[in-house]
Amino acid sequence: MIRITAGVRREESTMGIGDKAKDLSGKVKESVGDATNNPDLQREGAKDRTEAAVNDAADKARKGVDDLKENSSGLGEKMGGAKDALKDRFGKDNDAGR
């Protein structure tokens, strides 16, 4: 979701609380790994942050599919109505020319 506040456009995070915690934990692990020169801790932190980002992306994709389903309900009926209107306008016998 994008919110505009006082003329500033910013994207709101949709990351769930569990993913936010995992991301923050990963940042801390990476920082401590950097400070202590511990590559294992750095990798573990990067893994945690990546996992949180993948979960967030999956949640966004799931929400997008749900929104698409919700917004496209009745589309078949609308298309059928448009087809009928075109047939009425241009003649029902014009299908034979295809």
Side-chain angles (χ1 to χ4, degrees):
M1 168 188 281
I2 296 175
R3 175 174 284 175
I4 299 176
T5 307
V8 176
R9 183 178 176 204
R10 63 187 176 118
E11 188 168 336
E12 287 187 11
S13 173
T14 58
M15 194 177 278
I17 191 76
D19 292 331
K20 285 181 183 180
K22 189 146 193 118
D23 183 61
L24 181 60
S25 171
K27 287 179 183 179
V28 169
K29 287 179 184 178
E30 279 186 296
S31 295
V32 171
D34 289 342
T36 60
N37 198 23
N38 183 337
D40 291 335
L41 197 53
Q42 291 169 332
R43 277 191 296 275
E44 188 176 333
K47 180 182 112 343
D48 288 351
R49 293 186 66 206
T50 301
E51 187 176 317
V54 167
N55 287 340
D56 184 47
D59 289 342
K60 285 180 181 177
R62 204 171 299 115
K63 184 181 180 329
V65 168
D66 290 343
D67 289 348
L68 183 60
K69 284 180 186 177
E70 182 178 315
N71 292 331
S72 65
S73 66
L75 187 59
E77 292 84 20
K78 291 176 187 175
M79 294 297 290
K83 181 180 174 185
D84 291 341
L86 287 171
K87 280 185 176 181
D88 289 344
R89 172 77 168 102
F90 295 107
K92 295 179 182 178
D93 295 331
N94 286 344
D95 285 341
R98 282 196 228 172

